[in-house]
Amino acid sequence: MIPAKFDYKPASSAEEAILLLQEYGDEAKVIAGGHSLLPLMKLRLANPEVIIDIGEIQDLSFIEERDDHIAVGALTRHRLVEHSDLLRENVPLLAHAASHVGDPQVRNRGTIGGSLCHGDPASDLPAVVLATRATLIIRSQTGEREVAADDFFTDFWETAVNPAELLMEIRFPKVGDQPWAFQKFSRRAQDWAIVGCAVQHGSNPGIGMINMGSIPVRSSVAEEALRSGNAVIDVASVADEGLSPPSDIHAEVDYRRHLARVLLGRALS
Amino acid sequence: MTFPISVNVNGQTMEQEIDPRTLLVHFIRDDCRLTGTHVGCDTSNCGACTVLLDGEAVKSCTVLAVQASGHDITTVEGLAPPDGPFTPIQEGFRQEHGLQCGYCTPGMLMAGTALLNEIENPTEEQIRSHLEGNLCRCTGYEMIVRSVQWAAEHPDGIPVEIGEGS
Ligand SMILES: Cc1cc2nc3c(=O)[nH]c(=O)nc-3n(C[C@H](O)[C@H](O)[C@H](O)COP(=O)(O)OP(=O)(O)OC[C@H]3O[C@@H](n4cnc5c(N)ncnc54)[C@H](O)[C@@H]3O)c2cc1C
Ligand code: FES
Ligand code: FES
């Protein structure tokens, strides 16, 4: 399977990529690691006329400590996130979840920014961004803006990043020693989650769910139950409340609801 | 429209004008004529197409050749010199019968090479998790794991006497 024809424009800086995006408009797509975009292009489910390659923009790949948060550049590959001591210490949930993305080859290519901009409710890192209440930095030609995790995922495979914008970095609040947990249920090694959850404890606990809606979602009802000091069994029992999980060849709606409750129970135990 | 690329493949610089939609695996097989790298699934699931990109294992069916421009690629042909000794991992697959049909083997060898570059003495669990992206329809994986273990135990690649240790 070979993608349809396209023009290839490598960008050496974020500024250059944004100018190219403006020039080519809707016909263009940026490629980072290509591990979501290329499979779609090979199946001809995506047929961009222009590919803007941001993969070589080195200064968008970083993990930096800044005051109360750790900033992760959009082009940072899953492998670096997984092995980062700074993240293991300050945002361990993110480093751990990154180690569960696909397989080693996928983690050597895929980037955190690509994973988030793809906006797939079945992927792992959006749940972490929701659970940790991270902030996303988006740049356009007119400047940068900050978007809260809750406002980032807007529709099925749609995010707050507009066609002529780039995701630049993600800021994760440091969590110190606060407990966290990550549960991913899949049938075979290397598979995507059928359902999963990411939990970050703290003064404002966060519970991000994997594959429990048409967009990445948090379980607000369970979060509220957790904040109110309910027992684990009671928090877990409302994991799926208010959510509309999909039904597909891997699982039906009721099974996903059941899994959400079981996995949240495990995550909190 | 074509795009000029320059890729170092097994130590040799390949310069070429290429259709940007060419996948790295096709560039390697069709343009470099290195057919050791296999296409199994073509959907980034099986790992048969695994090569090293700047030393890291990647699935070359899910990388554009243009994305590899300016980088180093190592394929299975780049492991041992044509008439030289096998690398430890290749010798390990020979000693421990790590293959049957051999279709998955180039990918296994490259993923195994990346693993041993990163972890000299991996545990069985580490071997299994590092080879998670490589499917084998023949061996049931046991012999593959043993082959990698053999390589880790013999970093100089010198074979044991036939019959010993198996
Ligand atoms: C075999 C396989 C298994 C996988 N398993 C999992 C899994 O278990 N869990 C999981 O979570 N993921 C999984 N993935 C997906 C993987 O995490 C991808 O790496 C990730 O989804 C996309 O990252 P990328 O850098 O490759 O993005 P690309 O494919 O390059 O881009 C994805 C989308 O984001 C846009 N984009 C990328 N970067 C930016 C940016 N900085 N600003 C604006 N737009 C941008 C692109 O235009 C495109 O639309 C798997 C992928 C494969 C191939
Ligand atoms: S052919 Fe590339 S992963 Fe199967
Ligand atoms: S030896 Fe046949 S697929 Fe692995």
Side-chain angles (χ1 to χ4, degrees):
Chain A
M1 296 179 299
I2 296 167
K5 274 194 180 294
F6 57 81
D7 274 351
Y8 177 73
K9 308 277 175 194
S12 54
S13 66
E15 293 72 25
E16 192 185 349
I18 290 166
L19 282 177
L20 286 165
L21 278 170
Q22 280 192 321
E23 187 180 339
Y24 294 103
D26 278 352
E27 280 138 42
K29 271 256 167 217
V30 298
I31 193 166
H35 269 48
S36 291
L37 187 55
L38 279 178
L40 288 178
M41 288 170 63
K42 287 169 73 176
L43 293 167
R44 310 276 171 121
L45 292 172
N47 298 304
E49 285 172 30
V50 179
I51 283 288
I52 301 166
D53 190 353
I54 58 173
E56 300 284 324
I57 306 177
Q58 301 303 333
D59 50 1
L60 281 185
S61 171
F62 58 83
I63 300 171
E64 277 173 23
E65 184 166 19
R66 295 197 207 131
D67 308 324
D68 60 345
H69 66 268
I70 305 289
V72 181
L75 279 173
T76 312
R77 300 196 192 276
H78 301 318
R79 178 191 162 86
L80 290 178
V81 171
E82 169 188 0
H83 291 290
S84 157
D85 288 336
L86 206 51
L87 286 173
R88 281 182 182 164
E89 225 168 86
N90 295 288
V91 198
L93 171 58
L94 175 62
H96 179 82
S99 77
H100 284 266
V101 173
D103 54 50
Q105 289 96 319
V106 170
R107 297 196 289 277
N108 280 338
R109 289 301 291 169
T111 66
I112 186 170
S115 184
L116 298 173
C117 290
H118 190 51
D120 187 343
S123 56
D124 302 318
L125 302 184
V128 175
V129 164
L130 289 168
T132 55
R133 298 179 200 279
T135 305
L136 299 103
I137 311 299
I138 300 173
R139 184 188 287 185
S140 67
Q141 211 196 355
T142 52
E144 285 191 351
R145 61 194 178 101
E146 292 185 13
V147 174
D150 279 308
D151 301 323
F152 189 76
F153 304 104
T154 52
D155 207 338
F156 183 65
W157 286 8
E158 297 279 341
T159 69
V161 183
N162 295 319
E165 291 184 320
L166 272 195
L167 176 63
M168 299 295 286
E169 68 181 49
I170 307 98
R171 295 179 184 159
F172 293 90
K174 289 185 192 170
V175 300
D177 295 332
Q178 300 285 358
W180 56 274
F182 183 75
Q183 289 283 331
K184 176 174 177 176
F185 186 83
S186 47
R187 283 179 41 237
R188 298 166 305 192
Q190 178 219 56
D191 268 359
W192 296 74
I194 292 177
V195 170
C197 65
V199 178
Q200 181 60 61
H201 290 270
S203 52
N204 190 11
I207 303 176
M209 305 299 295
I210 304 171
N211 235 341
M212 283 297 287
S214 58
I215 63 171
V217 285
R218 61 172 71 253
S219 175
S220 313
V221 181
E223 283 174 352
E224 184 50 43
L226 195 58
R227 255 192 306 271
S228 319
N230 282 295
V232 167
I233 188 166
D234 297 323
V235 179
S237 69
V238 295
D240 61 312
E241 230 166 79
L243 304 182
S244 315
S247 178
D248 54 34
I249 51 165
H250 303 293
E252 292 184 353
V253 171
D254 284 348
Y255 181 48
R256 281 209 161 86
R257 290 188 179 284
H258 168 77
L259 277 178
R261 297 191 291 262
V262 170
L263 294 176
L264 185 58
R266 284 182 195 164
L268 295 173
S269 307
Chain B
M1 233 217 282
T2 59
F3 195 87
I5 62 167
S6 168
V7 188
N8 186 310
V9 184
N10 299 333
Q12 237 183 321
T13 305
M14 291 286 295
E15 281 176 358
Q16 197 160 322
E17 289 278 333
I18 201 164
D19 183 343
R21 62 181 172 156
T22 309
L23 300 171
L24 179 58
V25 70
H26 296 311
F27 171 71
I28 290 170
R29 289 179 56 88
D30 302 341
D31 296 297
C32 304
R33 311 299 293 168
L34 295 168
T35 51
T37 303
H38 293 167
V39 180
C41 63
D42 204 7
T43 57
S44 60
N45 286 293
C46 76
C49 64
T50 301
V51 299
L52 304 187
L53 195 163
D54 294 340
E56 291 184 343
V58 302
K59 292 174 175 173
S60 60
C61 72
T62 311
V63 177
L64 295 169
V66 284
Q67 289 178 296
S69 189
H71 295 275
D72 294 339
I73 297 294
T74 311
T75 68
V76 69
E77 291 91 342
L79 288 182
D83 47 4
F86 280 156
T87 62
I89 189 106
Q90 289 173 307
E91 188 60 42
F93 271 67
R94 186 163 80 144
Q95 293 294 326
E96 297 292 342
H97 309 286
L99 62 143
Q100 288 175 25
C101 80
Y103 204 88
C104 68
T105 314
M108 289 288 178
L109 291 172
M110 299 321 285
T113 299
L115 160 64
L116 292 176
N117 285 343
E118 189 184 327
I119 310 171
E120 263 177 47
N121 272 306
T123 61
E124 177 174 345
E125 199 187 324
Q126 283 171 324
I127 295 173
R128 287 184 185 274
S129 76
H130 273 76
L131 298 183
E132 199 174 77
N134 293 73
L135 302 182
C136 175
R137 296 291 82 165
C138 301
T139 63
Y141 302 102
E142 292 296 329
M143 289 124 82
I144 290 175
V145 172
R146 282 206 294 274
S147 303
V148 179
Q149 281 167 333
W150 189 98
E153 287 158 14
H154 300 82
D156 48 4
I158 295 167
V160 292
E161 290 291 314
I162 300 296
E164 192 188 311
S166 52

